[in-house]
Amino acid sequence: MDRRTYVKTGVGVIAGGLFAGCTGGGSGGEATETTSGDSGSSTTESGETEATTTESAVPSKVVIGSDIPYRPFEYETTSGELTGFDVDIAAAVFEDQLGIDYEFKPTSFDSIIPSLNNNNFRIIMSAMTINDQRAQEVDFSDPYFTAYQTVIVREGGSISSKADLQGQPIGVQKGTTGANAAEQLKEEFDGDLDLKKYDQISGAFQALINGQVNAIINDNTVNAEFANERDDVVFLEGEGAAAESGQEAPPYLTLTVENYGIAFRQDDDEFRERVNEALATIRDNGTYDEIYSEYFSG
């Protein structure tokens, strides 16, 4: 399955570094098209094709807003290749099933929904949790991934249970459901939680390594990708939301159970329906399982 390169915004996307990904990507600035393939349509200054901006039901190319890096869902390798679970799902849905080109446009997560509604791109694919608050501003596809908000800590530290988090500095990424889960935990602790909010999850991870925070609350798969690369970071154990909801719980504390969806503007029903059909097809024909097994175990 071919992987596409992507539009780089004014802030830029830098290969390499701590997670073989990049250090940031904002929503402002001029974009330069770097996708392969010829869609037969021109590109505006914002990176949108004319086919997209005229809102055809199924465009010749779809521009996708995404917070990059967010490994293993979307990140750039040291060789400059955009990859990840969401990237491969996009290839299967848009290229293979709908027969259209796609391109990813890096956008800060805390401004990604306003950017969508300002027509900076056609959809959002960025490990985005479906929730009621977001559903007031966008429409979601059918769910395509289940995740949990989890906690990672330094191994051998003073935190060994959920109760031990009280009063501790906790790292989260701005605008995420991890930040929301941390706020709920802060309420549970009567305000006794020191939240440190970062523009990118990579900043929170670096703060944990440097001892600036003592724990991170974030999606389980992204936390696992980081923890698996290090001997000094582990998941905080304990039962939680997954066990309480009757699901087969993973062997670590879960603060929430969440489903990811592709976000659309609320007037884009026909395109959303076509994408839902494509998602159902790749589940039925085994493509989804093949992609899943490439990035996740169990």
Side-chain angles (χ1 to χ4, degrees):
M1 180 180 302
D2 290 337
R3 297 188 177 98
R4 303 284 182 167
T5 52
Y6 58 104
V7 170
K8 299 186 179 181
T9 62
V11 173
V13 181
I14 303 172
L18 183 61
F19 313 109
C22 52
T23 60
S27 59
E30 277 189 17
T32 303
E33 183 182 344
T34 58
T35 55
S36 59
D38 182 8
S39 66
S41 57
S42 61
T43 303
T44 67
E45 288 185 356
S46 66
E48 284 279 331
T49 63
E50 287 183 351
T52 300
T53 55
T54 56
E55 296 300 312
S56 55
V58 178
S60 59
K61 180 172 72 176
V62 59
V63 180
I64 305 168
S66 191
D67 178 45
I68 303 168
Y70 199 67
R71 186 170 179 156
F73 288 92
E74 44 269 327
Y75 62 98
E76 191 181 26
T77 67
T78 54
S79 62
E81 179 185 44
L82 184 65
T83 188
F85 180 78
D86 278 350
V87 178
D88 283 4
I89 292 293
V93 167
F94 299 113
E95 191 171 63
D96 297 345
Q97 294 301 317
L98 297 181
I100 64 176
D101 288 335
Y102 65 93
E103 105 192 351
F104 277 77
K105 183 175 182 180
T107 305
S108 176
F109 198 82
D110 61 349
S111 64
I112 202 166
I113 288 179
S115 292
L116 172 69
N117 287 327
N118 285 336
N119 298 320
N120 290 330
F121 33 82
R122 186 69 177 264
I123 62 170
I124 297 169
M125 253 187 113
S126 192
M128 177 170 277
T129 297
I130 300 169
N131 62 30
D132 292 340
Q133 180 181 0
R134 290 171 179 161
Q136 294 177 13
E137 301 180 80
V138 300
D139 286 339
F140 283 102
S141 70
D142 294 336
Y144 70 94
F145 193 87
T146 299
Y148 312 96
Q149 288 304 318
T150 56
V151 185
I152 55 173
V153 298
R154 290 189 298 276
E155 188 172 26
S158 60
I159 300 175
S160 59
S161 69
K162 179 180 174 182
D164 293 335
L165 293 170
Q166 186 164 352
Q168 299 290 334
I170 307 295
V172 297
Q173 182 179 359
K174 294 177 183 177
T176 64
T177 50
N180 294 342
E183 292 285 0
Q184 293 171 6
L185 188 61
K186 185 173 182 176
E187 290 182 14
E188 185 178 329
F189 291 153
D190 295 324
D192 190 14
L193 199 66
D194 182 15
L195 296 186
K196 307 292 186 183
K197 298 183 179 181
Y198 298 87
D199 290 332
Q200 299 281 352
I201 195 60
S202 54
F205 288 152
Q206 190 63 54
L208 181 66
I209 295 170
N210 294 341
Q212 296 163 314
V213 299
N214 292 337
I216 291 172
I217 296 176
N218 194 53
D219 293 353
N220 60 311
T221 51
V222 180
N223 273 349
E225 181 83 10
F226 176 65
N228 288 342
E229 293 178 348
R230 301 187 61 88
D231 296 330
D232 56 347
V233 175
V234 295
F235 276 92
L236 186 61
E237 296 183 357
E239 292 191 349
E244 292 168 3
S245 66
Q247 296 194 22
E248 184 178 349
Y252 42 73
L253 177 67
T254 54
L255 300 179
T256 66
V257 180
E258 304 174 353
N259 288 306
Y260 293 167
I262 302 170
F264 297 75
R265 288 191 292 274
Q266 292 180 329
D267 60 353
D268 210 2
D269 293 343
E270 188 173 348
F271 188 35
R272 180 169 52 85
E273 290 170 4
R274 293 291 303 276
V275 170
N276 279 338
E277 292 170 1
L279 284 170
T281 297
I282 67 169
R283 284 188 179 278
D284 291 342
N285 67 17
T287 301
Y288 181 93
D289 290 340
E290 180 182 342
I291 296 171
Y292 187 97
S293 65
E294 182 177 348
Y295 293 97
F296 311 108
S297 60

